[in-house]
Amino acid sequence: MTTNDYQKFIQKSPTQRLTRQILALFPNSKVTQPMSQYALGNSTAINEKSYQQISSMKDMQRFLNTPNTLTNTQRLARIRKILKNHGYTGNKLNDQYEIGIVIRNFNLKHPYDTNDLLQGLVIAKK
């Protein structure tokens, strides 16, 4: 899947409502498919040296990949809180970032999960 294909999927899929809400917090940023693969733990998806900063926020990954029964509204509130704890507030949200995001439309992990990351959010600055 190309970045354009992935962006179209996020824009059009009813399963990506929470993803769109998260991305709306970063109005001047763009999501890319390679960075989204990186968010899932694929360290070879990007050249890390070409970025000034990559924020993968372990507490964010832990939250996204812990079974829960929260609504999307509650999940968004928790994500905002984690972002705030990492300094992503006010003007910093308006900076230009490359975002990697994979949010699936489920609240509980599949019972046969192999402990691979199934969801992720990474914020990078070139």
Side-chain angles (χ1 to χ4, degrees):
M1 180 181 291
T2 67
T3 291
N4 280 343
D5 292 338
Y6 190 56
Q7 289 171 344
K8 286 178 187 175
F9 167 72
I10 290 171
Q11 290 170 359
K12 295 183 184 283
S13 176
T15 67
Q16 295 300 297
R17 182 172 181 223
L18 180 59
T19 299
R20 290 190 295 271
Q21 291 173 325
I22 294 166
L23 292 174
L25 300 173
F26 298 90
N28 297 317
S29 299
K30 76 174 197 172
V31 65
T32 68
Q33 191 273 347
M35 190 57 73
S36 296
Q37 287 296 314
Y38 184 85
L40 291 178
N42 181 358
S43 61
T44 62
I46 62 165
N47 178 0
E48 293 176 351
K49 293 179 181 179
S50 64
Y51 294 89
Q52 295 175 20
Q53 167 193 347
I54 300 175
S55 298
S56 57
M57 302 170 279
K58 288 183 182 181
D59 52 341
M60 180 72 74
Q61 308 308 355
R62 193 170 31 258
F63 168 68
L64 291 175
N65 290 289
T66 300
N68 68 75
T69 56
L70 300 176
T71 65
N72 278 352
T73 301
Q74 292 168 324
R75 292 172 82 199
L76 181 61
R78 183 79 58 89
I79 289 166
R80 288 181 108 156
K81 182 178 178 182
I82 294 169
L83 289 170
K84 182 179 178 183
N85 290 343
H86 286 272
Y88 290 98
T89 60
N91 288 337
K92 194 166 180 185
L93 292 172
N94 290 316
D95 284 351
Q96 292 182 349
Y97 300 103
E98 187 173 321
I99 296 179
I101 188 168
V102 178
I103 303 292
R104 309 209 195 285
N105 192 28
F106 66 86
N107 289 346
L108 296 174
K109 281 186 152 183
H110 191 279
Y112 303 109
D113 182 22
T114 61
N115 291 323
D116 293 333
L117 286 177
L118 298 172
Q119 301 187 104
L121 175 63
V122 173
I123 302 165
K125 190 152 182 119
K126 284 204 170 204

